[in-house]
Amino acid sequence: MASTMEPVAFDEDRVSQLMQHMYSIKDIRAQTLQLEKLKVKVLEQCQEMKSEEGRFYDYKNELEVLEEERLAHVEELRQIHADMKAMEAVIKEADEDRNRSLELAWNVFKEYNTLKETVNEGRYQLGLEEITPVSVGGDVIDKHYFKRMRSAFKKESNKMENRVNRERIVDDESNQKPNIFSIPSTSTSTSVLKVQIPPMKICQSCQQPIHRNAPVCPLCKAKNKSRHPKKVKRKHDDGENSA
């Protein structure tokens, strides 16, 4: 006798819960995949951040090295500038001494010339030859000679004075400009201590350190030979004269 199968009754609530559970699993899976992608991006960005941080400190250290070099050059230029100022004072004194010597020579020449005219007049009456004019370096010493020397000395003095005035204007303009390269950090103050001392030499007279290229000691005014003298170019006229 054949058995008849009864239809199975479905629990709609149970099926709905299962379907909801499957959808939740699907959503969780999609979110998990998205989370993994974001995790990879976070790691990549953190690694890039570390790289950028390393480059930042490399650039900062390079800037500090450049700042130290700049301060070293500034200190060297300051020393050279101080030597130049001292040399300008020495040149000014030498110019005054030169002009004073010129006036003394002119006064002595006037006295000599007056006496020479008297002597020549007496020699002429006696039938003797006149005393020849005094000459130095092939130049006859007369009033025209002193006039030329005064003109040359004045020209050189004016050139030196103009040069000093130009340097003073440049110094004033430099002092008014803000320092845009300063670094407001502790590294700047420590870098000042690392400034290299410019090349110096010892004065042979007073035994004090001066710049190695200073021809005259700014302290005792003694002449000093430079350890690195400039080679003097021979003039073309000298070659022609020797020929």
Side-chain angles (χ1 to χ4, degrees), residues 6 55 161 182 198:
E6 296 179 357
R55 285 190 284 269
E161 184 177 358
S182 60

Side-chain angles (χ1 to χ4, degrees), residues 137-188:
D139 294 329
V140 177
I141 299 179
D142 52 11
K143 61 180 182 179
H144 301 291
Y145 171 80
F146 285 98
K147 184 178 181 181
R148 291 195 306 269
M149 296 303 293
R150 279 197 185 91
S151 177
F153 289 177
K154 185 177 181 180
K155 183 178 180 181
E156 289 295 331
S157 300
N158 292 337
K159 287 173 61 177
M160 190 62 192
E161 184 177 358
N162 292 335
R163 180 178 179 273
V164 172
N165 292 334
R166 286 197 303 268
E167 290 183 355
R168 185 179 297 111
I169 293 175
V170 172
D171 292 341
D172 294 339
E173 292 178 351
S174 300
N175 294 331
Q176 293 175 1
K177 291 181 179 179
N179 184 6
I180 62 175
F181 298 104
S182 60
I183 304 177
S185 63
T186 56
S187 61
T188 303

Side-chain angles (χ1 to χ4, degrees), residues 67-80:
E67 176 69 6
E68 291 179 5
E69 293 181 359
R70 184 184 72 87
L71 291 175
H73 289 299
V74 168
E75 177 61 21
E76 184 175 358
L77 290 175
R78 187 199 65 78
Q79 183 64 40
I80 294 176

Side-chain angles (χ1 to χ4, degrees), residues 9-209:
F10 291 97
D11 189 349
E12 294 182 357
D13 292 337
R14 179 62 178 171
V15 171
S16 177
Q17 290 179 358
L18 291 174
M19 294 298 294
Q20 186 66 30
H21 184 68
M22 291 179 63
Y23 285 133
S24 297
I25 292 176
K26 181 180 178 182
D27 292 340
I28 291 297
R29 182 176 182 277
Q31 292 176 358
T32 302
L33 293 176
Q34 182 65 21
L35 183 64
E36 287 296 327
K37 292 180 180 179
L38 292 177
K39 177 183 177 181
V40 172
K41 289 185 177 180
V42 168
L43 293 176
E44 290 178 351
Q45 291 301 320
C46 288
Q47 185 64 33
E48 182 66 20
M49 179 189 66
K50 288 293 184 180
S51 300
E52 291 295 338
E53 183 183 20
R55 285 190 284 269
F56 169 80
Y57 284 111
D58 289 340
Y59 300 150
K60 183 174 180 293
N61 292 335
E62 183 65 22
L63 180 61
E64 291 177 354
V65 171
L66 293 175
E67 176 69 6
E68 291 179 5
E69 293 181 359
R70 184 184 72 87
L71 291 175
H73 289 299
V74 168
E75 177 61 21
E76 184 175 358
L77 290 175
R78 187 199 65 78
Q79 183 64 40
I80 294 176
H81 186 71
D83 291 342
M84 289 178 62
K85 289 297 182 183
M87 188 58 59
E88 288 172 0
V90 173
I91 292 175
K92 184 177 181 180
E93 292 179 3
D95 182 55
E96 294 174 354
D97 293 340
R98 181 178 64 174
N99 292 332
R100 191 180 301 109
S101 299
L102 175 64
E103 292 304 321
L104 290 175
W106 168 245
N107 292 331
V108 173
F109 170 76
K110 288 191 297 183
E111 182 179 357
Y112 165 81
N113 195 48
T114 300
L115 181 58
K116 189 187 74 168
E117 290 178 354
T118 302
V119 172
N120 281 337
E121 183 177 355
R123 291 174 66 88
Y124 176 76
Q125 294 176 358
L126 296 175
L128 301 175
E129 295 182 356
E130 294 183 351
I131 297 176
T132 58
V134 181
S135 62
V136 56
D139 294 329
V140 177
I141 299 179
D142 52 11
K143 61 180 182 179
H144 301 291
Y145 171 80
F146 285 98
K147 184 178 181 181
R148 291 195 306 269
M149 296 303 293
R150 279 197 185 91
S151 177
F153 289 177
K154 185 177 181 180
K155 183 178 180 181
E156 289 295 331
S157 300
N158 292 337
K159 287 173 61 177
M160 190 62 192
E161 184 177 358
N162 292 335
R163 180 178 179 273
V164 172
N165 292 334
R166 286 197 303 268
E167 290 183 355
R168 185 179 297 111
I169 293 175
V170 172
D171 292 341
D172 294 339
E173 292 178 351
S174 300
N175 294 331
Q176 293 175 1
K177 291 181 179 179
N179 184 6
I180 62 175
F181 298 104
S182 60
I183 304 177
S185 63
T186 56
S187 61
T188 303
S189 59
T190 56
S191 64
V192 175
L193 301 177
K194 301 178 182 179
V195 174
Q196 296 181 355
I197 300 176
M200 309 290 284
K201 67 179 179 180
I202 301 299
C203 176
Q204 300 175 0
S205 178
C206 64
Q207 302 300 316
Q208 295 297 322

